[in-house]
């Protein structure tokens, strides 16, 4: 009986505190510090909400909020439906059937991810414009058709869907390839036809994978600024820009940002809830992959080829062709020492930002591993949230503490030195790099975390048993084993930074420019043709790693 | 040299316990075995001893000094304990020689020491190979050599033979424990195979659901188990319930439970307690035969025998010295 009582005592606050004192080490503190640094912009937005909205807030609520909401809802519904239909159809046909050019199309379908959606938007504007490529081609064949105006929310939904569907394609295909074969065979043995197998069996089973991809698409839809701005569609993100930079009311931008954060968190919760409801067990015994069906008739094989090829055509080949055409027209004007310098600057910024992001992610992962406190593991997951938050919101969240810190420095400067030192952090590279780290930490975190999980616990444990401490174990054993993960993390962040637009627009230093911003500036200044060359440079840089990403997902 | 006092560990904040109030001690030079089913807490126990887990209550003393408690924890790298992991955990990017010298980088003649321990585990000329180039049994021996290289005070082996097939297992078991005896190091190993434990351990600990239910020398554990669970863990056991007691006409203390080992139930020999039985079914098992019997009073029981020729009606019996008695 005495012992029973003793155990109740074991998790009393007093004993918890004793163990906390024993288990709290410097790694816990470092991990917490990094998590705080990453979460700071969100805290800042939450904190700033208390100082009330700006004067135009009530105006926005009355006249614009409905516009933002209805447009965003429209984009959610239309893009959501389109990416699921395109992504799942392609994934299923690619996994299930054998048809002409299937191995090539398998990875070509991922390439639309290499083109930022605002660049796809510019390209399609060029195709459908007065005197645009479509008209030129039709005129060549002496045909004519009624003008299609795509500079509206329908066009925007099309552009976003055709450039974002690979998220759904990739995760659905990974599911079909890794999990499905024995189920498929069982379904066949039970006499189910192809249609029944797909709709009754595969589609419900793939639902968590499809939704995971869909959530990424919806987050990218919220994140988009360039495409919506160019097509003149008012969304939350364009609203944030307008509130801060046209109307000059940061408080209102903060309120809009907070609303966006709420939407994003509901999406995340929805996905978690969905995953809890359906637990599709990992089918580890299945290793062979799907045995593909090869339709006996030739025309049938080409019939399967068409729906898989069309998304590649619309999402990659057409926009890239348009850009190449423009590039040939504008090469003389755009290419030159200034462009070379701009490219160097852009690559340099991406290089520094991805280095920092990778280092921070590695620190966060390993510091929390080295902390014996269980809750640290959960706290560090905050670090991964940045990717869900739209770039414009992160920019707003970063500017608030940066401005506050600068004002404090100015005060100190005045009282101590009697001079006005001006804004030091705001509008500096430091803040820009910091914001990139906040936004893209998750991009670095995932590949590093997954390779480190593959290494397992017993390898570092055995190093410790041989008398080697945490940090040395990392350098001697773990780092050599997770190198590939760190390298792919670096490449992925590098590309994302290179493509990033809204956050860069808000935070970039005055004299500094990036390829993405340059493309955006050309397009906004009615020189959309000139945007082709910086756009193509981004695409070329992004294409190789997209293939790398594909390999990673396949290996997983 | 190792004293564990009322150690407890929970992984879910006290809702359930992986280990609860476990206490035991080990003498220098002994080989101890921790036996239990999966989920009994045996791996948690050795990880606590190694310092890789932190106890929620209780104390661990190693060589006279406190290494784990609710206030204090000596980190694993400072304990001088060697641990051979179940999956060996060799560093895949290092050659064998570098794996073995890993823990002795400050030693003067580390190369010589590495060769010495590799000789000890009977591996020659493999220094420049990588772990993936070795067989499972060889990897196991490298892991042992690597753990022995820094001369640990205590060597722990986690399920050392579970990844090996049956033939290799028996062979390697004898080899490994010969080496351990040769070095004289104190050792603890974890196993779910009672045969491993009986063959090589001086002292055996039985864990069940996070509690230590018996610690004894092998012979005593086999002949005087404290509970039905321990008795049945080490071999086929027949529970002597009321019906069997009446069939054999052997009244036993009704306050206690009783059982008898299958091998002590003899066929057609003279014993203190006997009864007649009819063979309902006989199943050939290879080196033995399982008989489903119906006793005179209608009660049914199965026994395993090494007799080859069994008639339809037999006489079975046992002696009172072979009856095991448990308090519960």
């Amino acid at each position: 009986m005495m012992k029973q009582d003793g155990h109740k005592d074991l998790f009393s606050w007093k004993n918890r505190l004793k163990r906390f004192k024993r288990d709290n080490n410097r790694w816990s503190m470092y991990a917490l510090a990094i998590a705080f640094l990453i979460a700071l912009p969100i805290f800042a937005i939450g904190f700033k909400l208390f100082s009330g909205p700006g004067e135009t807030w009530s105006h926005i609520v009355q006249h614009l909020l409905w516009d933002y909401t209805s447009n965003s809802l429209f984009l959610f519904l239309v893009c959501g439906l389109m990416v699921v239909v395109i992504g799942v159809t392609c994934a299923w046909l690619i996994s299930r059937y054998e048809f002409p050019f299937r191995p090539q199309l398998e990875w070509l379908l991922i390439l639309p991810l290499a083109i930022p959606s605002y660049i796809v938007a510019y390209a399609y504007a060029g195709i459908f414009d007065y005197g645009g490529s479509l008209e030129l081609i039709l005129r060549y064949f002496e045909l004519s058709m009624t003008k299609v105006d795509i500079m509206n929310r329908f066009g925007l939904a099309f552009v976003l869907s055709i450039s974002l569907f690979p998220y759904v394609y990739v995760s659905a295909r990974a599911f079909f390839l890794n999990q499905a074969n024995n189920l498929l065979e069982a379904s066949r043995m039970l006499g189910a036809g192809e249609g029944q197998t797909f709709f009754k069996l595969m589609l419900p089973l793939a639902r968590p994978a499809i939704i995971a991809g869909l959530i990424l698409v919806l987050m990218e839809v919220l994140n988009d600024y360039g495409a919506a701005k160019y097509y003149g569609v008012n969304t939350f993100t364009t609203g944030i820009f307008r509130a801060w930079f046209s109307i000059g009311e940061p408080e209102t931008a903060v309120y809009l940002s907070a609303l966006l954060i709420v939407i994003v968190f509901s999406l995340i919760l929805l996905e978690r809830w969905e995953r809890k409801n359906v637990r599709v067990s990992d089918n580890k015994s299945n290793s062979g992959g799907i045995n593909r069906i090869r339709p006996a008739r030739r025309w049938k094989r080409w019939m399967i080829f068409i729906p898989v090829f069309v998304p590649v055509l619309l999402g990659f080949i057409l926009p890239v062709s348009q850009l190449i055409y423009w590039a040939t027209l504008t090469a003389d004007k755009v290419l030159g020492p200034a462009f070379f310098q701009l490219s160097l600057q852009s690559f340099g910024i991406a290089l520094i930002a991805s280095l920092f992001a990778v280092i921070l992610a590695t620190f966060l992962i390993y510091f929390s591993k080295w902390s014996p406190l269980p809750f640290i593991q959960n706290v560090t997951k905050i670090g991964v949230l940045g990717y869900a938050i739209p770039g414009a919101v992160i920019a707003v969240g970063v500017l608030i503490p940066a401005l506050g810190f600068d004002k404090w420095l100015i005060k100190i400067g005045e009282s101590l030195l009697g001079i006005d030192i001006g804004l030091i952090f705001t509008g500096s590279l430091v803040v820009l790099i910091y914001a990139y780290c906040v936004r893209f930490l998750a991009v670095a975190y995932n590949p590093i975390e997954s390779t480190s999980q593959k290494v397992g616990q017993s390898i570092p444990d055995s190093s410790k048993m041989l008398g080697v401490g945490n940090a040395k174990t990392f350098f001697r054993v773990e780092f050599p084993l997770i190198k590939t993960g760190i390298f792919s993390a670096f490449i992925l962040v590098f590309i994302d930074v290179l493509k990033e637009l809204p956050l860069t627009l808000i935070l970039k230093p005055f004299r500094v420019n990036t390829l993405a911003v340059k493309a955006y500036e050309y397009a906004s200044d009615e020189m959309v043709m000139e945007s082709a060359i910086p756009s193509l440079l981004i695409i070329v840089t992004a294409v190789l790693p997209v293939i790398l990403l594909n390999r990673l997902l396949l290996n997983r | 040299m190792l004293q564990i006092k009322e150690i407890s560990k929970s992984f879910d904040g006290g809702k359930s316990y992986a280990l609860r109030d476990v206490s035991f001690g080990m003498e220098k030079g002994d080989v101890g075995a921790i036996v239990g089913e999966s989920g009994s807490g045996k791996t948690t126990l050795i990880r606590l001893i190694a310092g890789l887990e932190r106890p929620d209550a209780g104390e661990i003393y190693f060589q006279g000094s406190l290494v784990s408690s609710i206030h204090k924890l000596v980190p694993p790298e400072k304990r001088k304990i060697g641990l051979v992991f179940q999956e060996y955990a060799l560093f895949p990017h290092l050659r064998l020689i570098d794996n073995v010298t890993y823990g002795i980088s400050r030693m003067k003649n580390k190369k010589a020491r590495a060769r010495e321990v590799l000789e000890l585990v009977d591996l020659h000329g493999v220094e420049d190979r990588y772990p993936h180039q070795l067989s499972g049994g060889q990897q196991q021996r490298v892991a042992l050599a690597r753990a022995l290289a820094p001369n640990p005070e205590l060597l722990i082996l986690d399920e050392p033979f579970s990844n090996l097939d049956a033939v290799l297992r028996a062979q390697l078991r004898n080899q490994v424990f010969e080496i351990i005896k040769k070095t004289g190091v104190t050792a603890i190993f974890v196993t779910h195979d009672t045969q491993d434990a009986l063959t090589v351990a001086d002292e055996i600990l039985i864990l069940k659901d996070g509690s230590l239910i018996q610690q004894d020398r092998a012979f005593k554990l086999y002949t005087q188990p404290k509970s039905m669970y321990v008795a049945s863990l080490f071999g086929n056991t027949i529970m002597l319930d009321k019906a069997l007691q009446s069939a054999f006409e052997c009244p036993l203390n009704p306050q206690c439970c009783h059982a008898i080992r299958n091998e002590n139930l003899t066929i057609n020999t003279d014993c203190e307690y006997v009864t007649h039985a009819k063979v309902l079914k006989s199943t050939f098992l290879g080196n033995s035969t399982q008989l489903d019997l119906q006793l005179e009073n209608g009660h049914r029981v199965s026994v395993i025998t090494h007799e080859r020729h069994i008639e339809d009606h037999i006489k079975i019996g046992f002696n009172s010295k072979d009856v095991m008695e448990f308090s519960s």
Side-chain angles (χ1 to χ4, degrees), chain A residues 3-4 7 10-11 15-16 18-19 22-23 372 457-459 461-470 472-473 476-477 480-481, chain B residues 6 8 10 13-14 17 20-21 47 50 52 54-57 69-71 77 81 83 85 87 89-93 102-103 146:
Chain A
K3 275 191 178 160
Q4 287 296 330
H7 274 294
L10 220 148
F11 283 88
N15 280 329
R16 277 173 201 261
K18 279 182 195 163
R19 285 194 295 269
R22 175 194 67 185
D23 295 343
Q457 192 53 51
S458 57
I459 295 255
D461 276 353
S462 70
S463 164
K464 275 178 226 167
M465 295 312 296
L466 292 164
V468 178
N470 282 324
K472 268 194 181 163
T473 295
R476 288 175 66 180
V477 179
L481 297 176
Chain B
E6 299 206 323
S8 290
S10 167
Y17 282 84
R20 197 154 191 170
D21 287 331
R47 287 178 65 83
L52 295 168
R54 294 155 178 253
D56 288 325
S69 78
I70 194 165
H71 297 288
E77 60 265 28
I81 292 177
L83 178 51
F85 286 79
E87 58 273 35
L90 297 176
F91 305 130
H93 62 302
Y102 186 90
R146 184 178 69 174

Side-chain angles (χ1 to χ4, degrees), chain A residues 480-531:
Chain A
L481 297 176
I482 63 166
K483 264 188 308 201
T484 50
I486 288 186
F487 181 67
S488 41
F490 174 81
I491 297 283
L492 292 175
V493 179
F494 185 86
I495 295 311
D496 265 334
V497 172
L498 205 64
K499 286 159 65 180
E500 213 292 329
L501 181 65
L503 182 154
T504 318
L505 269 180
I506 299 179
L507 293 178
K508 76 174 185 67
F510 186 64
R511 279 187 205 83
V512 174
N513 226 339
T514 69
L515 288 167
V517 170
K518 195 70 196 168
Y520 167 82
E521 283 175 357
Y522 277 134
S524 318
D525 297 345
E526 307 281 325
M527 294 195 288
V528 72
M529 288 163 118
E530 280 78 358
S531 72

Side-chain angles (χ1 to χ4, degrees), chain A residues 403-420:
Chain A
L403 278 169
F405 193 56
D406 271 340
K407 277 181 194 157
W408 180 71
L409 281 181
I410 288 171
K411 252 188 214 161
I412 289 187
E414 272 175 357
S415 62
L416 287 182
L417 306 167
I419 48 164
D420 183 3

Side-chain angles (χ1 to χ4, degrees), chain B residues 1-2 60-65 67 79-81 153-154:
Chain B
M1 70 148 351
L2 179 68
I60 299 176
Y61 292 87
F62 184 56
Q63 298 193 298
S65 60
V67 290
R79 291 199 175 189
K80 297 205 86 182
I81 292 177
E153 300 292 340
L154 172 68

Side-chain angles (χ1 to χ4, degrees), chain A residues 61-138:
Chain A
V61 171
Q62 270 175 10
H63 302 285
L64 290 170
L65 199 62
W66 171 242
D67 206 20
Y68 298 158
T69 316
S70 69
N71 280 337
S72 296
L73 259 173
F74 173 84
L75 290 175
F76 266 32
L77 285 176
V78 177
C79 292
L81 196 70
M82 278 177 73
V83 295
V84 168
V85 170
I86 301 173
V88 175
T89 308
C90 291
W92 176 245
L93 295 177
I94 285 274
S95 327
R96 184 61 172 154
Y97 298 96
E98 196 58 65
F99 51 88
F101 300 108
R102 192 201 56 78
Q104 290 77 23
L105 285 170
E106 185 159 14
W107 60 269
L108 280 171
L109 275 167
I110 305 167
L111 287 192
L113 278 188
I115 321 181
S117 39
Y118 53 87
I119 292 177
V120 180
Y122 303 156
Y124 270 102
I127 290 171
F128 285 104
D129 204 0
Y130 287 110
S133 308
L134 188 66
E135 214 179 291
L136 288 178
I137 291 168
L138 288 175

